[in-house]
Amino acid sequence: MTTTAQEKTAPRQTAPAAQGRGADIRRHELAAFLRNRRERITPEEVGLPRGTRRRTPGLRREEVAQLSAVGVTWYTWLEQARDIQVSVQVLDALARTLRLDATERAHLFQLAEAVDPTPAASCTGVTPALQEMLRALEPLPASVQNSRYDILAYNRTYARLLCDLDAVPPEDRNCMILVYTNPEWCRSIVHLEETRRLMAAKLRASMAGHLAEPAWKMLVKRLAAESAEFRENWDRYEVVDPGSRTKQFLNPYVGHLTPEHTDLFLNPASGARMVTYVPADQDTRERLERLHDLARAGTPAPNS
């Protein structure tokens, strides 16, 4: 085989060079995606005044930076496709500010070559067979959770047990976030103060094997920012192992419930488990059956 003069003089593409061009393409695509989504969000949607001198369609860069708690210069560089490192915490904040849906959020993290730490991104382990098991347990409330207390899947009775869980954004379906920040969830727990303290102790015990993982650090940082009571409980450094306990709930649809909480571990290594609630008395059994009927019928929330 002969070699032409043009082939002799053409530069050979090395693997690092090709990888560099690929990263550059992703940065520009990420910058364009952020600009597009920023321009689609109106100031009114995020509680900002429009003003009379706004020329930028949608939000300004400094407004996105402020709402996401990142530096204006840093965000500007990101939209300029500069070669900078993007943490998962910042990507998470940008996704929330820009109101990205699940597909858009996944696209954002893929462009940034980062792993999305939210529960919505880790639901792939909930198989159709496991979903069928959850449905088969009805009218008993049941869910699948991981060791970080992300709610990965649940049946219809569980969806109405403590709040209208279907109305909660997937990234907020976490028992720690709900017990410290969701008013409806909190009103349904009879011994709220004790439950919050116990949950913080459980989270600290679980976190021992995940101290360097971004998703865990993001969860604790968010809870500490949004709840003074969490900060107080977290600073106690108490640890408690998960275990079966009798609970007391005040459900807005059917009233007082006394169920037995049991964890059925599906994957001890990852902490994935099925959380079930079995009635501790006949009144609770009958009320859970009514709650299940209401959930099947799609009864609206009491305050809607």
Side-chain angles (χ1 to χ4, degrees):
M1 181 180 295
T2 60
T3 303
T4 65
Q6 183 178 4
E7 288 173 333
K8 288 180 180 180
T9 58
R12 178 169 295 179
Q13 304 301 328
T14 63
Q19 291 173 359
R21 280 199 308 279
D24 186 60
I25 291 172
R26 276 193 299 273
R27 286 197 303 272
H28 280 84
E29 186 67 21
L30 174 61
F33 182 67
L34 289 172
R35 284 195 300 271
N36 178 272
R37 291 306 183 268
R38 170 172 61 83
E39 293 171 354
R40 287 171 47 180
I41 302 294
T42 65
E44 293 83 358
E45 287 181 277
V46 295
L48 294 176
R50 173 168 291 277
T52 58
R53 302 178 60 185
R54 180 179 295 270
R55 290 195 241 172
T56 304
L59 296 177
R60 301 186 179 99
R61 284 176 175 171
E62 57 266 28
E63 291 170 335
V64 173
Q66 179 184 2
L67 292 168
S68 304
V70 301
V72 176
T73 301
W74 187 94
Y75 180 75
T76 300
W77 287 349
L78 193 58
E79 280 203 6
Q80 291 174 346
R82 299 280 190 98
D83 187 6
I84 58 176
Q85 295 295 319
V86 189
S87 71
V88 294
Q89 292 91 337
V90 167
L91 292 171
D92 176 74
L94 291 175
R96 292 173 185 272
T97 297
L98 299 175
R99 301 193 168 193
L100 303 185
D101 62 24
T103 301
E104 293 169 334
R105 183 185 175 97
H107 185 64
L108 174 70
F109 276 80
Q110 187 173 20
L111 289 176
E113 294 189 292
V115 177
D116 189 348
T118 64
S122 56
C123 288
T124 54
V126 181
T127 63
L130 195 51
Q131 292 278 11
E132 183 60 29
M133 288 178 63
L134 290 172
R135 181 66 62 90
L137 284 170
E138 294 176 351
L140 302 183
S143 67
V144 175
Q145 301 177 19
N146 60 18
S147 57
R148 201 172 59 233
Y149 295 94
D150 297 320
I151 302 171
L152 307 180
Y154 51 91
N155 63 17
R156 289 173 292 187
T157 317
Y158 189 92
R160 296 297 179 89
L161 182 64
L162 296 168
C163 74
D164 183 1
L165 196 55
D166 292 332
V168 175
E171 62 269 20
D172 291 342
R173 291 175 192 164
N174 173 283
C175 292
M176 294 297 307
I177 292 172
L178 292 167
V179 79
Y180 277 101
T181 68
N182 184 285
E184 187 183 357
W185 187 283
C186 295
R187 285 194 299 267
S188 297
I189 298 176
V190 174
H191 303 293
L192 180 60
E193 184 177 345
E194 177 186 350
T195 299
R196 283 175 165 171
R197 182 174 176 179
L198 185 64
M199 289 292 292
K202 286 183 177 181
L203 181 67
R204 184 173 285 282
S206 297
M207 193 172 178
H210 307 273
L211 293 174
E213 295 179 24
W216 289 76
K217 293 190 289 186
M218 285 173 59
L219 175 60
V220 172
K221 182 177 180 180
R222 177 180 174 183
L223 289 165
E226 296 184 14
S227 172
E229 188 172 353
F230 173 80
R231 294 195 298 272
E232 180 182 345
N233 288 332
W234 191 248
D235 289 342
R236 293 176 183 272
Y237 281 84
E238 294 177 335
V239 290
V240 174
D241 286 332
S244 300
R245 289 177 174 82
T246 301
K247 304 279 189 175
Q248 291 192 56
F249 302 138
L250 188 59
N251 183 270
Y253 300 92
V254 298
H256 192 273
L257 298 170
T258 307
E260 297 282 353
H261 167 208
T262 302
D263 288 330
L264 305 174
F265 281 88
L266 306 172
N267 185 343
S270 67
R273 65 196 186 281
M274 183 179 290
V275 177
T276 61
Y277 290 101
V278 176
D281 53 52
Q282 185 60 30
D283 285 345
T284 297
R285 183 177 301 277
E286 293 173 359
R287 288 169 183 170
L288 284 178
E289 290 173 355
R290 292 208 307 272
L291 182 61
H292 176 238
D293 290 339
L294 292 170
R296 285 194 304 172
T299 304
N303 58 353
S304 64

